[in-house]
Amino acid sequence: MRNRHGLSVAAVVLAGGLAWLTGTRAVAPAGVADANAGSGTATLSGVVEAPKPFKAAKVYIMNVDKNVLFMVYTSGGRYRAANLFPGRYEVTVRKQDLGAETRTIVLTAGAKETLNFSLREQAPQPIRQGEFGLSSRSSGDVKLVSYDELYPREPGRELLEKTCMYCHGRNFFPSKQYHETQWNSFVDLMLNAQSERGAMIPAGTLSQKDRETIVAYLVKHFGPGSPPRGLKADTEFPVDEEALGKAMYVEYYLPLDSKLDASNKQRRTQEPHFDQDGNVWYTDRSIPNRVGRLDPRTGHINDYVLPDPKADPHGLTVDANGHVFWAETVGFHLGRLDPKTGAMTRYPMDSTGQNKGRGHTPVVDSKDNVWFTVIVGDMIGKWDRQTGKATVWKVPTQGAAPYGITLDKNENVWFAEFRRCKVATFDPRTETFTEYPAVTQPCTIRRLGVDSTGTVWYGGFNSGKLGKLDPKTGKIVEYNIPMPFSEPYDVWPDRDDHIWISDGGQGGALIRFDPRTEKFTYYPTPQITDQPKLAITRDGAVWYTPRSSSRAAVGVLYPDAGKIKTLAAYY
Ligand code: HEC
């Protein structure tokens, strides 16, 4: 299991292709000359021919000197990419069923070059997990099959879906080959209120008869001798060529440090956040744990190893002084870095020392207090700027697992109750909670966002729903995200109140939802991945971290690359 909290194993075992990116080319540190949008950069364009019509082929424009990828899509068989850093490039055009073609080119500052491609029809390649660079987190070949083949339609299926799979995802059970005693002992564990995380299956919700049906189903299909399988999700994304023709992704790959990363195959970025100087900060959960800063203008990266290198930092935020705060999952501390001096401090998340738990995501209010969620321990907390002390409050629902957090204009705290499928708010003035159960139950909700009108948006991670809550009336509307097996992770508004959804369920897409037209626009990501958190600039650039991808990065989508004014990131 690669995600201690989310069990979102489903996201990684997916079809698609990015074999060329998974190579073991030595990773050169990014850096070098300054490049602001336009000046000192290069432009590349061209025509892509193919024996049959195609839409929105991906054009990977990889700067091998700086270790930065630019990716655009074709529109009407043409592509164009601007704001490219000077350097040596490997350019690959890739389209499902049409294979890929790679060419190399050197781009100098100010250059406007042309590179044309012609794709040939190819027989579909058998899908092997290793091709996507997943071998470090899973072993051997896993056969990918359809949902109905994986989960035959028998009475146990629906029970398993609503009792277990809403948490564990669709690829968890097929990776196990347990006998009856083992399955039974795990069900006991899931029912046990005394375990560290409390009962996973709420008391009184699983009858003895249903339990037996579930265990029989698990033993029959995921018992000893059953082949390890995964879910095949090979549908193509619905693409809007006109929208995609304007878009550009940029991924800044993190270097593997020869000493720190000696035993790491890859690093693991979790959450992006901007400072006041246009830099993007991130947490890195590979060991030793780090927080880091990317300057998107240059690709320059600075990493800071945490005082406790195994604290497992999750969320991160930056206060008005540019100090960086992160929440530690292990050890119940909030960390703080002053980038000017490099000094790091750790504060207990409960200054009374009475409570223990696992921190998750921090957020700063207008007085530079730091609010945070506590995923194990069912709390939210506040670190007070004046006193330097932290206080926690238990949330009303046991087993809620508070996850994503944000503040509305009145500085009410909003957070997602991950495992109990509720959106909740805390009024700091009255110290009271209000909870809103999602429409589709049971579910998991990872994150939420509040738009400029105060409307709260959330993603039903397992249910594939986009939820909209009006706090004035308490009314909730849920929209179906159009693709099957969707897994909306973060849901975050831009300045124009378009809602951006990061979806790893189908192999990776950022999706823009327009609440006025109720239209979803898909922007398939460069790598197969999930993206646990989004941060959006005032110019509408959508920053993310590709967490389960084969190459760790800090990434950004410019939905309209023609409008890029700066590569710097500002709220
Ligand atoms: C509310 C979410 C949730 C539900 C519902 C749930 N689980 Fe779990 N399950 C977890 C979490 C979280 C863990 C990890 C526990 C830990 O590490 O303390 C886990 C652990 C497990 C494990 C052991 C993981 C491993 O590494 O092998 C198994 C097996 C398992 N669950 C099976 C089930 C089955 C079967 C059901 C339904 C009858 C179920 N779970 C329902 C959240 C859930």
Side-chain angles (χ1 to χ4, degrees), residues 250-269:
V250 183
E251 288 194 341
Y252 298 83
Y253 295 114
L254 294 198
L256 280 174
D257 184 278
S258 55
K259 284 204 194 76
L260 298 179
D261 293 306
S263 54
N264 288 333
K265 286 210 179 80
Q266 196 46 265
R267 295 175 60 184
R268 189 160 184 235
T269 49

Side-chain angles (χ1 to χ4, degrees), residues 154-474:
E154 293 159 18
R157 168 160 123 173
E158 207 180 309
L159 283 171
L160 188 70
E161 286 169 339
K162 76 173 206 293
T163 318
C164 317
M165 264 163 65
Y166 76 92
C167 278
H168 281 283
R170 299 171 187 93
N171 279 310
F172 176 77
F173 294 108
S175 70
K176 312 280 172 210
Q177 287 77 42
Y178 293 149
H179 51 71
E180 190 173 343
T181 326
Q182 288 169 306
W183 281 123
N184 264 315
S185 72
F186 283 122
V187 177
D188 288 340
L189 177 72
M190 296 294 101
L191 288 162
N192 182 1
Q194 309 315 318
S195 64
E196 191 203 5
R197 291 176 163 80
M200 290 299 146
I201 302 171
T205 61
L206 181 64
S207 70
Q208 184 57 28
K209 187 166 156 281
D210 287 352
R211 174 191 171 131
E212 283 163 18
T213 309
I214 289 175
V215 171
Y217 188 87
L218 288 169
V219 174
K220 181 170 171 196
H221 301 293
F222 314 112
S226 73
R229 285 154 299 162
L231 177 66
K232 184 158 132 196
D234 57 357
T235 342
E236 276 215 63
F237 288 109
V239 289
D240 173 349
E241 259 207 335
E242 206 184 311
L244 293 188
K246 294 184 194 154
M248 177 161 82
Y249 271 103
V250 183
E251 288 194 341
Y252 298 83
Y253 295 114
L254 294 198
L256 280 174
D257 184 278
S258 55
K259 284 204 194 76
L260 298 179
D261 293 306
S263 54
N264 288 333
K265 286 210 179 80
Q266 196 46 265
R267 295 175 60 184
R268 189 160 184 235
T269 49
Q270 176 74 32
E271 180 159 340
H273 205 90
F274 316 142
D275 67 18
Q276 291 80 359
D277 301 322
N279 303 306
V280 184
W281 287 85
Y282 53 86
T283 47
D284 172 10
R285 300 172 73 188
S286 54
I287 293 172
N289 297 157
R290 282 156 268 189
V291 298
R293 178 180 61 201
L294 163 77
D295 182 344
R297 291 155 285 211
T298 61
H300 194 82
I301 285 171
N302 280 87
D303 281 316
Y304 302 80
V305 175
L306 298 195
D308 177 352
K310 291 187 177 173
D312 197 21
H314 209 279
L316 160 150
T317 190
V318 182
D319 75 5
N321 312 304
H323 290 196
V324 178
F325 287 82
W326 65 89
E328 296 181 356
T329 315
V330 177
F332 211 42
H333 282 81
L334 196 64
R336 176 184 188 173
L337 161 71
D338 176 354
K340 288 209 181 71
T341 62
M344 295 199 210
T345 321
R346 290 167 81 229
Y347 305 96
M349 284 185 163
D350 175 14
S351 299
T352 68
Q354 279 168 11
N355 292 286
K356 284 273 165 283
R358 290 169 179 259
H360 196 273
T361 307
V363 62
V364 178
D365 72 14
S366 62
K367 299 192 176 70
D368 270 349
N369 301 309
V370 183
W371 293 87
F372 53 87
T373 42
V374 178
I375 185 164
V376 176
D378 294 328
M379 294 173 273
I380 66 158
K382 176 191 171 189
W383 175 81
D384 189 287
R385 172 69 49 166
Q386 299 298 323
T387 63
K389 300 257 189 286
T391 312
V392 286
W393 292 265
K394 280 269 178 196
V395 305
T397 300
Q398 233 197 342
Y403 205 98
I405 183 169
T406 189
L407 305 173
D408 67 18
K409 273 191 188 143
N410 302 320
E411 304 212 283
N412 294 306
V413 182
W414 288 88
F415 60 99
E417 296 190 347
F418 174 51
R419 290 205 189 95
R420 293 293 178 258
C421 197
K422 294 175 190 172
V423 166
T425 185
F426 178 75
D427 183 337
R429 291 151 290 260
T430 58
E431 299 190 17
T432 49
F433 288 93
T434 312
E435 296 178 315
Y436 304 88
V439 177
T440 307
Q441 294 280 341
C443 81
T444 48
I445 303 176
R446 291 186 183 268
R447 297 185 176 276
L448 43 66
V450 180
D451 72 15
S452 71
T453 68
T455 300
V456 182
W457 297 85
Y458 66 87
F461 182 72
N462 71 301
S463 60
K465 307 278 183 193
L466 170 66
K468 178 175 85 172
L469 161 69
D470 178 353
K472 289 185 215 83
T473 60

